[in-house]
Amino acid sequence: MDHGALRPVEWVGSSRDDLTAFPGQVRDHIGFALYQAQAGLKHRDAKPFKGLGSGVMEVVSRHDGDTFRAVYTVRFKAAIYVLHAFQKKAKRGVATPMPEIDLIKRRLKAAAQHYEAYYGKA
C-alpha cells in the first residue's frame, strides 16, 4: 500500500476527543477502519450509515459488554471526515438515538462547508 496516497483525516466537533476516551482495544479497531478508509479501502466491520446517503459509514466496536460507534464520511475525494464517535447507551434495540443522528447530520453539513473552504468544491 502506498502510504503517500493516504487521504488526511479531518475531525468534526469533539469526535477526536470522544474517540480518544474509548478503551484502547476499541480505539485500535476504529483507528484501523479509518486507516483503511484513508487508503481507499473498506474495513470488514464498516457499513453504510442509513439515512444520510452514500459515503457515510459506521464502525461498531464492542468491548466488555459496551457498544462504541464511529461515524465517518468518505464522500469527499481529498479527505476523510470523522463526524461522531460515541458509546451507545440505550439498553433496547440497535437503532441510533435521534439526538445522535441529528448531531451527525449537523456535523456532515459542517464537514461539507470545511471541505469546500479548504479543499475546493466537492
Side-chain angles (χ1 to χ4, degrees):
M1 191 177 314
D2 178 12
H3 295 287
L6 294 179
R7 294 190 277 175
V9 174
E10 300 285 354
W11 302 87
V12 183
S14 63
S15 59
R16 185 177 201 156
D17 291 337
D18 296 337
L19 182 61
T20 301
F22 289 175
Q25 182 179 347
V26 173
R27 285 193 315 267
D28 290 348
H29 181 233
I30 292 172
F32 185 62
L34 293 173
Y35 171 78
Q36 287 190 306
Q38 285 181 275
L41 304 172
K42 180 183 162 292
H43 189 275
R44 68 173 187 237
D45 295 332
K47 62 182 182 177
F49 187 82
K50 296 188 184 338
L52 294 181
S54 67
V56 179
M57 307 297 290
E58 173 182 44
V59 176
V60 177
S61 187
R62 291 177 178 77
H63 179 73
D64 283 344
D66 294 320
T67 302
F68 300 86
R69 297 179 179 203
V71 179
Y72 62 95
T73 185
V74 294
R75 187 176 284 178
F76 309 110
K77 185 176 181 178
I80 304 298
Y81 281 82
V82 181
L83 304 173
H84 193 26
F86 61 102
Q87 180 179 354
K88 185 169 181 304
K89 297 192 181 197
K91 301 296 182 200
R92 290 184 287 144
V94 296
T96 304
M98 277 309 295
E100 305 292 352
I101 293 172
D102 292 341
L103 179 61
I104 293 165
K105 286 178 181 178
R106 287 193 306 272
R107 288 183 175 179
L108 183 58
K109 287 179 186 175
Q113 292 170 343
H114 180 273
Y115 187 84
E116 187 171 326
Y118 288 90
Y119 296 98
K121 291 273 186 193

